[in-house]
Amino acid sequence: MSFSSTVKEELERAMGSARHCRMAELAAIMEFCGRIEKDKSGSCRLILDTDNESVKGKYRALLKKMYNVASPDEPDDDTCYLILEGLGIIDRSGVMRDTNAPASSLLLKQSCCKRAFLRGAYMCVGSMSDPKSSYHLEFVCDTRAQAQQIVTLLSDFEIDSRIIERKKHYVAYIKEGESIVDFLGICEAHVALMNMENDRILKEVSNSVNRRNNCDVANIKKTVNAAARQIEDIEFLRDNYGLDKLSDNLREMALIRLEYPDATLPELGKEFNPPLGKSGVNHRLRKLSELADKYRNI
């Protein structure tokens, strides 16, 4: 099972305690997965267009808790009217608004209701990549107005999101791992949140180790290349200038470097009596290199 499906299963079990929160979540389900059929007599039917079992389960649970209907899949006419009126789809005069329009802002005034709506929206049209590989969460909406509503609600929780057009749909998406973690917390997917945080920590530790290893390898290469150049310069002076012409300090440095070609600067410094610091060793080797360059150009 994908990480996204696991999140939806967890969200199916999460439900607001207040009626207004449940209504907000039901509004999200109806907006993104529901449709309304009206027969010639004027009776309405609520139809859920989804194959997602988590969404179906949440829809039944909401209708059962809110309206105590015997058969949540087919609520009777009176219950349908109550639901549609509660969602603001039908007013008291029986006029039905555009069912493709975003949910009424009257249902989303409180922070808890916004959380519930986002939870329902994610269950219907949301998905996210496995955080072990990448960070990406998105809502695939039919209209730009729906996508903009998602972006606006996310911004209320200081979560940055964007909208892109993909074929005939509008996609509201989040790319930052920290923002996705915040979103899971908002929707009360606490188990998924902890699993994702664990994956993020492991990934960060792994990346840190890799960076350190790469840095160590780079430093080793740098040390080896520098030692090779130093030995090359000393051998040039030996063959073309003569080490006996060097000052005592530089001759001693040249001989020690030739004797210990793989040693680091601090290790070379320990071979002097008294020991020489890293900066002192580096200074003498640089003098030898400058002298070699001088005679190469003659």
Side-chain angles (χ1 to χ4, degrees):
M1 181 181 295
S2 68
F3 185 82
S4 185
S5 298
T6 302
V7 172
K8 291 184 180 182
E9 281 196 352
E10 183 177 358
L11 293 181
E12 180 185 355
R13 300 187 292 271
M15 186 177 297
S17 57
R19 182 180 178 83
H20 49 79
C21 295
R22 295 172 181 174
M23 184 62 74
E25 190 164 5
L26 181 60
I29 293 175
M30 288 303 301
E31 177 178 338
F32 293 105
C33 284
R35 60 187 174 89
I36 303 166
E37 285 189 354
K38 201 169 185 180
D39 60 24
K40 294 180 180 180
S41 66
S43 296
C44 292
R45 291 183 61 221
L46 303 183
I47 298 175
L48 198 65
D49 281 334
T50 180
D51 294 326
N52 189 306
E53 293 300 325
S54 295
V55 176
K56 291 178 181 179
K58 175 56 72 74
Y59 175 73
R60 296 188 190 103
L62 286 169
L63 293 188
K64 182 67 176 177
K65 284 184 175 292
M66 295 172 66
Y67 300 99
N68 195 29
V69 293
S71 177
D73 292 324
E74 296 182 6
D76 58 37
D77 289 346
D78 291 338
T79 304
C80 283
Y81 183 85
L82 288 174
I83 295 171
L84 295 176
E85 186 179 23
L87 296 176
I89 295 174
I90 290 181
D91 60 25
R92 294 188 179 276
S93 63
V95 177
M96 183 181 297
R97 69 174 175 84
D98 181 7
T99 55
N100 289 325
S104 171
S105 58
L106 296 175
L107 296 172
L108 305 174
K109 286 186 173 182
Q110 301 185 62
S111 176
C112 55
C113 296
K114 294 176 182 179
R115 292 171 183 268
F117 184 88
L118 287 171
R119 180 167 60 239
Y122 179 81
M123 291 182 65
C124 293
V125 295
S127 65
M128 66 180 295
S129 60
D130 190 330
K132 292 179 180 178
S133 57
S134 62
Y135 301 130
H136 182 83
L137 184 150
E138 66 179 31
F139 300 81
V140 182
C141 306
D142 289 332
T143 68
R144 177 174 287 277
Q146 290 175 334
Q148 185 58 55
Q149 184 178 48
I150 295 293
V151 168
T152 300
L153 291 175
L154 290 172
S155 68
D156 290 341
F157 294 100
E158 299 183 352
I159 295 178
D160 185 38
S161 58
R162 295 287 185 272
I163 297 175
I164 58 171
E165 191 171 351
R166 184 188 297 160
K167 296 181 180 179
K168 295 182 180 181
H169 295 91
Y170 296 88
V171 181
Y173 67 92
I174 306 171
K175 294 292 289 185
E176 295 295 328
E178 185 174 349
S179 295
I180 294 175
V181 168
D182 290 341
F183 174 80
L184 293 175
I186 288 167
C187 293
E188 299 182 81
H190 301 302
V191 175
L193 184 155
M194 292 303 299
N195 289 336
M196 182 172 175
E197 282 287 60
N198 288 337
D199 290 338
R200 288 181 70 208
I201 291 171
L202 290 174
K203 184 184 291 186
E204 289 174 4
V205 170
S206 177
N207 290 340
S208 177
V209 171
N210 288 336
R211 285 193 297 270
R212 184 172 298 176
N213 287 340
N214 292 336
C215 183
D216 290 343
V217 170
N219 287 336
I220 291 172
K221 288 182 178 179
K222 183 178 178 181
T223 300
V224 170
N225 291 337
R229 288 194 302 271
Q230 293 160 5
I231 292 171
E232 181 181 349
D233 291 337
I234 293 170
E235 289 177 341
F236 174 83
L237 290 173
R238 181 192 63 194
D239 299 337
N240 297 277
Y241 180 74
L243 297 183
D244 58 323
K245 295 182 180 180
L246 298 172
S247 65
D248 292 342
N249 288 341
L250 293 184
R251 182 170 62 255
E252 185 180 14
M253 181 73 261
L255 293 173
I256 289 176
R257 170 46 94 188
L258 290 176
E259 185 177 357
Y260 301 98
D262 299 325
T264 62
L265 298 187
E267 291 171 345
L268 291 174
K270 293 178 181 179
E271 299 301 323
F272 287 85
N273 187 18
L276 190 63
K278 178 180 176 180
S279 60
V281 172
N282 186 56
H283 174 74
R284 294 185 185 186
L285 288 171
R286 189 170 63 253
K287 286 291 186 181
L288 289 169
S289 294
E290 291 173 355
L291 185 61
D293 289 340
K294 175 182 177 181
Y295 280 93
R296 283 192 185 99
N297 296 325
I298 294 177

